[in-house]
Amino acid sequence: TSLLESSSIKSGMLRRPKPTDSEADLLREQQELLAAGGQSTVAVVKRPDKRRGDAAAADAQDQRNQRDVVTIEDELPSLTPAPPKKSRFKQERVRFEDEDPGERLDRHDTHISAVLSRIIERDTSAVPVSLPCITGAAFPKVLHRSVMGSEGQERAPKGRKSIFARQIAAQRAKEDSSASRHVSFSPLQNMETERPESNVMGKCCHIPQSFSWLTKACLISDWASVTDRVGGPVLLTGQGLGIANSGMETMKIHEENQTKLQAMSQSEILEEQRKLLAQLGPRLVDFVRSRKAQRTPGSESASGPVQREDFLNEPLPNSTSPQLDHTIKAQESQRDTMEDDEEDENQLVAQPPITEEELPIKPQKEWLHMDKVEPEKLEWTRDLPAPREQSTNKAMQARFDFTGTLIPSTKDLPTHLGLHHHGEEPELAGYSLQELFLLSRSQLNQQRNLAVSTLANVLAKARAGEYISSLKGSVLSSLLDAGVLFLLRFSLDDTVEGVMSAAVHALRALLVSSDDEECLDNAFSWLLGMATFPLLPTAQEDEDEDDEGLDETMKETTKEKEEKKTDHDVARQDVVKGFLKMQGLPRLRYILEVVRPSPRVVLDILEVLIRIARHSTTAATQILDCPRLMNTVIAEFLPCSWAPATSQAPSSLYGLPVALAMKLLRVLASAGRHACARILNSLGGKEVLSRFVVVEPSEMLLEAGEALRCSTEVLRLFAVAASYGQACNLYTDLYPVLVKRLQAGNWRCASSEAVLLLELDPIRALLVLLTQVTQTAGCHEELQRDLVSAQGAECPPPPPVVWSHVTGLQPTVISSLKGCVRALDGPAQMSSALILLPSYLLYMEAYYSQLCVQSSFQPVQCLQELESLTSDVLLPLISHQAMQNITSCFRSSSMICNPGLSAAGGEVVSSLPGLGCSRMKTSSTIAGPNSPLSLPTALLYLLNTITSIHKGLLKKFSPLILSDSVLSYLRSCIGAMPSVSHMSAWISCHEHHLLYLLLRLAHKLVPVDPEVAKHATLFHQVSLALVSWLLPGSEYQAHELMSFVTFSHSLLPEGICGEPEMAALAELQLKDRTSLAVGALLRDALHHLPSIRGCYLTHLAHMESSVLSSRDRYLGRTPFVSSHLLPELTGPSLPSDWPFLPLISLYERMGLSAGGGHQVESLPAGSVQSVTNCLQWLLVLESWREQALTAVPPVAKLARLACVFLCSSDLFLEQPVQELTWALFRRLTRPAQLEALDLGSPPPGLASFHDLYSALLAQYEAVSFGDPLFGCFMLLPLQRCYSVTMRLAVFGEHVGMLRSLGVPLQQLPIPLEKFTSPMEDSLPLLRLYFRALVTGALKRSWCPVLYVVAVAHLNAFIFSQDAVAELLFLYFQFLVLKNHLLLFQLPQQNSELGFSIYEQLPPIRARRLESIVGTEVKGGER
């Protein structure tokens, strides 16, 4: 070998690889081979593939006996890649160029939940347990070839068979020759037993091994002896004994049993049989009796079925006593009664097998493979038993028909409906959810289509809430947990169009709510109706343990965490996001572009896309980014030219305008300014607007309703674009068309005929468009000035529309407005007039609000117009009976006063939020076209603008505020605590606008109208509540309330009529000099209200960007509006404890960062004044507006107020802070407040109150200097009703603070009985009490309060326990302590000692003490 290798190296040839070569050697040799450029020395000649039909296959016959030839050449051939394999299936697959192969592999690797349905464990409670037999061999005896040879030769079927197959065939032949039994057994011929008797009974009869030998013998012999006349026992066959003479052994066992039975009396036999029937299962009893019937002479057929009822009436052998028969029948009937209460398969088992005569179709001999009838395989042809009602409370599996309707379990439906199938319960009609999931993966197209369509109907009815009263649990949650979203996504990939269409319909039923969309469309023309909350699930903070302890730069970002999540995890938290992650949008695009489905599927896809666009700005951007999706929608369903529809229901929507496609563009444009610009400029949105705005609905060559919807949606899209200041150049181009439509709307209002709601929608959409264009034109001069003064800085460009372009609209709108007011008197026109009035009023507000800031503003002419508008339109409208009817519905339709209205009407899951409008539409009109919110809100919006321009008109509008219905509504709002959810937030926003505008108008009227001033307290209370209710997106309203209403002197009449002095008298206590200063503190707080307001506005500066964004949206500054999607709904804009905000902010800056802040120099400038202002405002609220802080629990108030001591070392020592904190502490320790104070529940924002108290203890020991105020805060949690852990902390870990806790008894605002009653039951704490008293750590001169507490509890313990030797050991050495402990009577807060004492020990206590002390003294003598 070495010689050959050396010769090859010398000749330049490469050597062969060795087993010892490393990977580096192989790579090096490969590089040398490639560098040499030689050819391989091995050539492989491949035979042609006959399956591929190659041309070389013709010569395959000649090469049949040849093999592959391998030739070795001198030179190595070059390494050329093999030709790629072609797959006919690969060509049919759709692949995207930007698709990651790894993601494609992960997508095919489905989760286990998508494969498995619900797994139900089989009930084995009634199955008898058989123990394994005891054998003497280590392994069972095997079947030898020689043993089975003779038996199998005769019966083995013809043909070539293996030994194992012949053995099995022989066993089957043996079984066929024997009589068929009701219960089959497996022969155990290979096991040897040490106890044949017990083993046979245990294995053949399944008798529990714990039975006594007498019981077994009675059972075996009882039935076996009767069959003795047929030649031997019935049960004992001898199989399984493992001996040659098994028959003789069986007879021996039989004879022994007979002997034992003969030795027993009749009563003993009856007793043993009764025990057997009580312990054995019914199937086992039936089996034993069936064996007897089969072996008894005269039986009809050994193979016939044996009914259990046949043996109930037959007496047992060897028991001719009537008493025995009666006992057995009673036991059997009792068992039957118990079994009737449970629906199981016992009834099906008891039915006899079907016979050939019972077959509905008789088999013919000429039929293939039907020469032998197999009854067990024909059971499914039997008529189904009628379902019967269960008598138990056990829940049953829900079954649905094809329309999704729940089928009762007792309803007997005909089989021709197709609802019966071969499932676990064939007699019950309908399909369960598990069966539908299984059927949806069938190989038959019709079954898949049927299953997915049924699931779609179930989803639709579940969303509507039709199963809430009938089913336990949520169907929607169960389906989502089972993976219905994955199932629908898989069904979308189906190649059968029917299944694909059913999947789209099911996806629409899962995601879309038609009622929600209808309510949002109706609210579009309301004040700020374009703004909606994104339908994002409530944020769930996942604690990532991997990021704990890492630096901020090392932690994963939110985007990185989202990318690591699987599809299942994403879909579990957010259904829409999960669908997007599963590449749902490209599939929908494929269906629209390639499949071109039916109209229903197209509409369902468009509705699904609209729901996805409402999810978030990110989701809307993904729709726009999906390749060719929006191009397909616009090209196919918003064409610029189309042929007229041939019928009312066209067979295809391709090439025809579709209103839902226009609505999709509008919803996408509402997601953001940039999305709207992409639609207008990149996708041809401007051409679509131009084409559809100029066409009248009657000229669209479409069905009338669809034409009106298209006209409405194109105007709404135009309005959304104008709300960003975009597409305004189209307004100038289309001005004649828009004015013509506006005048047509005026004519329609003046018409005497009733108008359909669908015909009013284009008019309202047109008014919204003109309102947005007017607001945009009003910003032109401001933007022009900013552009000139910007000098190169970024600034929005001025819009192409100027103020002169919109001035001509005002006369036409006023004329239409007057016509609507006149139409209120006509019954036929009242409904349409009430619907159109809000849009006209909102336009007038936009016009006059922008008119005031124009350079062409003429004040005198404007004031005259406002007076004319007030007298001709506004005052008649306010006094009209229709307006009175609307205001009377405020309280009954309010979401704030009636939280039950926001309850979900259907099933709601957290991962798929909705608006719940289905319940609102049925229980209230607040979300409908006749809502009591739209008209009053628009009217108040206009009134606030008019009164800010013309203040002389202010008093004329006081009747609206003073109406009984409005005042009653405001009173109902006080104390309300509305919940925040997607179902209530969208409509609550509009109600908040109504309340805000009411309060702004009332605040203006209070100084000028004495009647309105009487209700100033009411207005102030509502304003305090509204500040805590305002949701994200309403930050500007919150800022305006706090700037003008909340801290207004005019809304605090208590400061004018002597209320501070009355508050001081109410707080007056004996020997309490500081309480007299409460009136002065309140008077000083009212004097500093502007400073207090500035303090709170300063601490809300972090919300400046949100306030500015909300202001631009509210005031109609269209060039600055970025999106009509409001911020994510996480709760109110301000926390419920916002009055404590300056104090909490200072604590977060100093207490957390500086570890408690022990240096006064660390306090920022102005901190003392900020804390003082905060405490002043809290004192005002606690004294006069206590209802405003009901949302803050007392424990939270105490925790927030404790920040005064934790912020700094001596902040609490400042005189104003000290006085105000004392006043607030007394308010918190009033009897009613003390009863409500629960220190066991953690305060909001803290893990537990004990943690806060531990920090206070450490701070007190460090910087308190014995301050009484700080000491009272330390004593408050030591009351007897609170946890003993805080008292143990004081007397155990911080016992040194007792020297400085010198709060006088007279200065303690808490009753002393709260500390001494009931008696202390903690022995460790009592020991600490005694130790502190004995060691002198607790003295009356140092800590009088806790001294009284310790003495009181120890005294009660001494005279209530048996063994107190440990406490009395040192009594005689401490005389004063002894007197206080023994003579203590009752706590007395005003006395010198703090408690009263007996002059002489009562006789009962004296005798008790004498006996104890005497025992102690005797025990102490040594």
Side-chain angles (χ1 to χ4, degrees), residues 440-458:
S440 65
R441 308 310 298 163
S442 171
Q443 294 184 355
L444 297 180
N445 302 335
Q446 294 84 353
Q447 290 184 348
R448 296 200 305 274
N449 191 354
L450 184 68
V452 179
S453 300
T454 306
L455 280 174
N457 297 329
V458 171

PDB file of all heavy atoms in Angstrom, residues 440-458:
ATOM      1  N   SER A 440     -63.592  19.322   9.187  1.00  0.00           N
ATOM      2  CA  SER A 440     -63.005  20.362   8.351  1.00  0.00           C
ATOM      3  C   SER A 440     -61.679  19.937   7.725  1.00  0.00           C
ATOM      4  O   SER A 440     -61.203  20.597   6.801  1.00  0.00           O
ATOM      5  CB  SER A 440     -62.787  21.631   9.181  1.00  0.00           C
ATOM      6  OG  SER A 440     -61.832  21.394  10.191  1.00  0.00           O
ATOM      7  N   ARG A 441     -61.062  18.864   8.201  1.00  0.00           N
ATOM      8  CA  ARG A 441     -59.821  18.368   7.618  1.00  0.00           C
ATOM      9  C   ARG A 441     -60.067  17.106   6.794  1.00  0.00           C
ATOM     10  O   ARG A 441     -59.124  16.357   6.516  1.00  0.00           O
ATOM     11  CB  ARG A 441     -58.790  18.058   8.722  1.00  0.00           C
ATOM     12  CG  ARG A 441     -58.551  19.189   9.708  1.00  0.00           C
ATOM     13  CD  ARG A 441     -58.268  20.506   9.034  1.00  0.00           C
ATOM     14  NE  ARG A 441     -57.082  20.487   8.221  1.00  0.00           N
ATOM     15  CZ  ARG A 441     -56.794  21.390   7.301  1.00  0.00           C
ATOM     16  NH1 ARG A 441     -57.624  22.375   7.067  1.00  0.00           N
ATOM     17  NH2 ARG A 441     -55.681  21.297   6.600  1.00  0.00           N
ATOM     18  N   SER A 442     -61.308  16.885   6.424  1.00  0.00           N
ATOM     19  CA  SER A 442     -61.642  15.702   5.640  1.00  0.00           C
ATOM     20  C   SER A 442     -61.043  15.802   4.242  1.00  0.00           C
ATOM     21  O   SER A 442     -60.727  16.887   3.736  1.00  0.00           O
ATOM     22  CB  SER A 442     -63.162  15.552   5.554  1.00  0.00           C
ATOM     23  OG  SER A 442     -63.517  14.533   4.635  1.00  0.00           O
ATOM     24  N   GLN A 443     -60.916  14.649   3.595  1.00  0.00           N
ATOM     25  CA  GLN A 443     -60.426  14.626   2.225  1.00  0.00           C
ATOM     26  C   GLN A 443     -61.530  14.932   1.216  1.00  0.00           C
ATOM     27  O   GLN A 443     -61.241  15.200   0.055  1.00  0.00           O
ATOM     28  CB  GLN A 443     -59.811  13.260   1.914  1.00  0.00           C
ATOM     29  CG  GLN A 443     -58.551  12.966   2.715  1.00  0.00           C
ATOM     30  CD  GLN A 443     -57.925  11.653   2.318  1.00  0.00           C
ATOM     31  OE1 GLN A 443     -58.476  10.909   1.514  1.00  0.00           O
ATOM     32  NE2 GLN A 443     -56.773  11.343   2.902  1.00  0.00           N
ATOM     33  N   LEU A 444     -62.776  14.893   1.661  1.00  0.00           N
ATOM     34  CA  LEU A 444     -63.891  15.181   0.766  1.00  0.00           C
ATOM     35  C   LEU A 444     -64.178  16.674   0.780  1.00  0.00           C
ATOM     36  O   LEU A 444     -64.319  17.278   1.840  1.00  0.00           O
ATOM     37  CB  LEU A 444     -65.135  14.399   1.193  1.00  0.00           C
ATOM     38  CG  LEU A 444     -65.017  12.870   1.128  1.00  0.00           C
ATOM     39  CD1 LEU A 444     -66.311  12.222   1.576  1.00  0.00           C
ATOM     40  CD2 LEU A 444     -64.681  12.425  -0.290  1.00  0.00           C
ATOM     41  N   ASN A 445     -64.287  17.244  -0.395  1.00  0.00           N
ATOM     42  CA  ASN A 445     -64.507  18.685  -0.492  1.00  0.00           C
ATOM     43  C   ASN A 445     -65.824  19.094   0.144  1.00  0.00           C
ATOM     44  O   ASN A 445     -65.916  20.121   0.824  1.00  0.00           O
ATOM     45  CB  ASN A 445     -64.480  19.113  -1.957  1.00  0.00           C
ATOM     46  CG  ASN A 445     -63.169  18.759  -2.631  1.00  0.00           C
ATOM     47  OD1 ASN A 445     -62.143  18.624  -1.965  1.00  0.00           O
ATOM     48  ND2 ASN A 445     -63.191  18.614  -3.948  1.00  0.00           N
ATOM     49  N   GLN A 446     -66.877  18.297  -0.094  1.00  0.00           N
ATOM     50  CA  GLN A 446     -68.180  18.652   0.436  1.00  0.00           C
ATOM     51  C   GLN A 446     -68.181  18.652   1.964  1.00  0.00           C
ATOM     52  O   GLN A 446     -68.808  19.505   2.601  1.00  0.00           O
ATOM     53  CB  GLN A 446     -69.257  17.687  -0.077  1.00  0.00           C
ATOM     54  CG  GLN A 446     -69.504  17.760  -1.567  1.00  0.00           C
ATOM     55  CD  GLN A 446     -68.515  16.925  -2.358  1.00  0.00           C
ATOM     56  OE1 GLN A 446     -67.558  16.399  -1.780  1.00  0.00           O
ATOM     57  NE2 GLN A 446     -68.730  16.809  -3.661  1.00  0.00           N
ATOM     58  N   GLN A 447     -67.464  17.719   2.566  1.00  0.00           N
ATOM     59  CA  GLN A 447     -67.415  17.676   4.025  1.00  0.00           C
ATOM     60  C   GLN A 447     -66.651  18.864   4.588  1.00  0.00           C
ATOM     61  O   GLN A 447     -67.043  19.462   5.593  1.00  0.00           O
ATOM     62  CB  GLN A 447     -66.793  16.360   4.484  1.00  0.00           C
ATOM     63  CG  GLN A 447     -67.666  15.142   4.235  1.00  0.00           C
ATOM     64  CD  GLN A 447     -67.048  13.871   4.793  1.00  0.00           C
ATOM     65  OE1 GLN A 447     -65.888  13.857   5.172  1.00  0.00           O
ATOM     66  NE2 GLN A 447     -67.830  12.813   4.823  1.00  0.00           N
ATOM     67  N   ARG A 448     -65.555  19.230   3.966  1.00  0.00           N
ATOM     68  CA  ARG A 448     -64.821  20.400   4.426  1.00  0.00           C
ATOM     69  C   ARG A 448     -65.663  21.661   4.297  1.00  0.00           C
ATOM     70  O   ARG A 448     -65.697  22.507   5.199  1.00  0.00           O
ATOM     71  CB  ARG A 448     -63.520  20.550   3.639  1.00  0.00           C
ATOM     72  CG  ARG A 448     -62.539  19.416   3.828  1.00  0.00           C
ATOM     73  CD  ARG A 448     -61.128  19.841   3.450  1.00  0.00           C
ATOM     74  NE  ARG A 448     -61.023  20.362   2.112  1.00  0.00           N
ATOM     75  CZ  ARG A 448     -60.847  19.619   1.021  1.00  0.00           C
ATOM     76  NH1 ARG A 448     -60.759  18.303   1.121  1.00  0.00           N
ATOM     77  NH2 ARG A 448     -60.752  20.180  -0.183  1.00  0.00           N
ATOM     78  N   ASN A 449     -66.329  21.786   3.165  1.00  0.00           N
ATOM     79  CA  ASN A 449     -67.181  22.950   2.950  1.00  0.00           C
ATOM     80  C   ASN A 449     -68.297  23.011   3.978  1.00  0.00           C
ATOM     81  O   ASN A 449     -68.597  24.066   4.547  1.00  0.00           O
ATOM     82  CB  ASN A 449     -67.766  22.889   1.528  1.00  0.00           C
ATOM     83  CG  ASN A 449     -68.435  24.194   1.135  1.00  0.00           C
ATOM     84  OD1 ASN A 449     -68.567  25.101   1.931  1.00  0.00           O
ATOM     85  ND2 ASN A 449     -68.868  24.271  -0.111  1.00  0.00           N
ATOM     86  N   LEU A 450     -68.909  21.862   4.241  1.00  0.00           N
ATOM     87  CA  LEU A 450     -70.003  21.803   5.210  1.00  0.00           C
ATOM     88  C   LEU A 450     -69.519  22.170   6.614  1.00  0.00           C
ATOM     89  O   LEU A 450     -70.178  22.930   7.342  1.00  0.00           O
ATOM     90  CB  LEU A 450     -70.609  20.400   5.208  1.00  0.00           C
ATOM     91  CG  LEU A 450     -71.826  20.182   6.105  1.00  0.00           C
ATOM     92  CD1 LEU A 450     -73.007  20.957   5.578  1.00  0.00           C
ATOM     93  CD2 LEU A 450     -72.162  18.696   6.185  1.00  0.00           C
ATOM     94  N   ALA A 451     -68.374  21.660   7.000  1.00  0.00           N
ATOM     95  CA  ALA A 451     -67.864  21.915   8.346  1.00  0.00           C
ATOM     96  C   ALA A 451     -67.512  23.392   8.525  1.00  0.00           C
ATOM     97  O   ALA A 451     -67.874  24.012   9.542  1.00  0.00           O
ATOM     98  CB  ALA A 451     -66.637  21.041   8.613  1.00  0.00           C
ATOM     99  N   VAL A 452     -66.799  23.977   7.576  1.00  0.00           N
ATOM    100  CA  VAL A 452     -66.394  25.377   7.716  1.00  0.00           C
ATOM    101  C   VAL A 452     -67.610  26.297   7.649  1.00  0.00           C
ATOM    102  O   VAL A 452     -67.686  27.296   8.380  1.00  0.00           O
ATOM    103  CB  VAL A 452     -65.362  25.735   6.633  1.00  0.00           C
ATOM    104  CG1 VAL A 452     -64.954  27.191   6.749  1.00  0.00           C
ATOM    105  CG2 VAL A 452     -64.137  24.847   6.753  1.00  0.00           C
ATOM    106  N   SER A 453     -68.584  25.978   6.814  1.00  0.00           N
ATOM    107  CA  SER A 453     -69.791  26.805   6.744  1.00  0.00           C
ATOM    108  C   SER A 453     -70.562  26.742   8.056  1.00  0.00           C
ATOM    109  O   SER A 453     -71.078  27.762   8.534  1.00  0.00           O
ATOM    110  CB  SER A 453     -70.683  26.330   5.592  1.00  0.00           C
ATOM    111  OG  SER A 453     -70.017  26.429   4.358  1.00  0.00           O
ATOM    112  N   THR A 454     -70.644  25.558   8.639  1.00  0.00           N
ATOM    113  CA  THR A 454     -71.322  25.433   9.927  1.00  0.00           C
ATOM    114  C   THR A 454     -70.578  26.200  11.016  1.00  0.00           C
ATOM    115  O   THR A 454     -71.187  26.858  11.864  1.00  0.00           O
ATOM    116  CB  THR A 454     -71.447  23.952  10.309  1.00  0.00           C
ATOM    117  OG1 THR A 454     -72.084  23.245   9.241  1.00  0.00           O
ATOM    118  CG2 THR A 454     -72.259  23.787  11.573  1.00  0.00           C
ATOM    119  N   LEU A 455     -69.259  26.129  11.007  1.00  0.00           N
ATOM    120  CA  LEU A 455     -68.480  26.905  11.980  1.00  0.00           C
ATOM    121  C   LEU A 455     -68.709  28.403  11.795  1.00  0.00           C
ATOM    122  O   LEU A 455     -68.751  29.156  12.786  1.00  0.00           O
ATOM    123  CB  LEU A 455     -66.998  26.577  11.829  1.00  0.00           C
ATOM    124  CG  LEU A 455     -66.507  25.282  12.476  1.00  0.00           C
ATOM    125  CD1 LEU A 455     -65.042  25.033  12.117  1.00  0.00           C
ATOM    126  CD2 LEU A 455     -66.676  25.326  13.984  1.00  0.00           C
ATOM    127  N   ALA A 456     -68.859  28.837  10.556  1.00  0.00           N
ATOM    128  CA  ALA A 456     -69.134  30.257  10.312  1.00  0.00           C
ATOM    129  C   ALA A 456     -70.457  30.667  10.938  1.00  0.00           C
ATOM    130  O   ALA A 456     -70.561  31.734  11.565  1.00  0.00           O
ATOM    131  CB  ALA A 456     -69.141  30.533   8.804  1.00  0.00           C
ATOM    132  N   ASN A 457     -71.473  29.828  10.793  1.00  0.00           N
ATOM    133  CA  ASN A 457     -72.771  30.144  11.397  1.00  0.00           C
ATOM    134  C   ASN A 457     -72.704  30.115  12.918  1.00  0.00           C
ATOM    135  O   ASN A 457     -73.336  30.936  13.592  1.00  0.00           O
ATOM    136  CB  ASN A 457     -73.824  29.146  10.896  1.00  0.00           C
ATOM    137  CG  ASN A 457     -74.045  29.239   9.401  1.00  0.00           C
ATOM    138  OD1 ASN A 457     -73.901  30.314   8.815  1.00  0.00           O
ATOM    139  ND2 ASN A 457     -74.381  28.131   8.772  1.00  0.00           N
ATOM    140  N   VAL A 458     -71.932  29.178  13.469  1.00  0.00           N
ATOM    141  CA  VAL A 458     -71.770  29.119  14.925  1.00  0.00           C
ATOM    142  C   VAL A 458     -71.061  30.376  15.426  1.00  0.00           C
ATOM    143  O   VAL A 458     -71.443  30.963  16.453  1.00  0.00           O
ATOM    144  CB  VAL A 458     -71.002  27.842  15.320  1.00  0.00           C
ATOM    145  CG1 VAL A 458     -70.632  27.863  16.797  1.00  0.00           C
ATOM    146  CG2 VAL A 458     -71.831  26.602  15.025  1.00  0.00           C
TER     147      VAL A 458
END
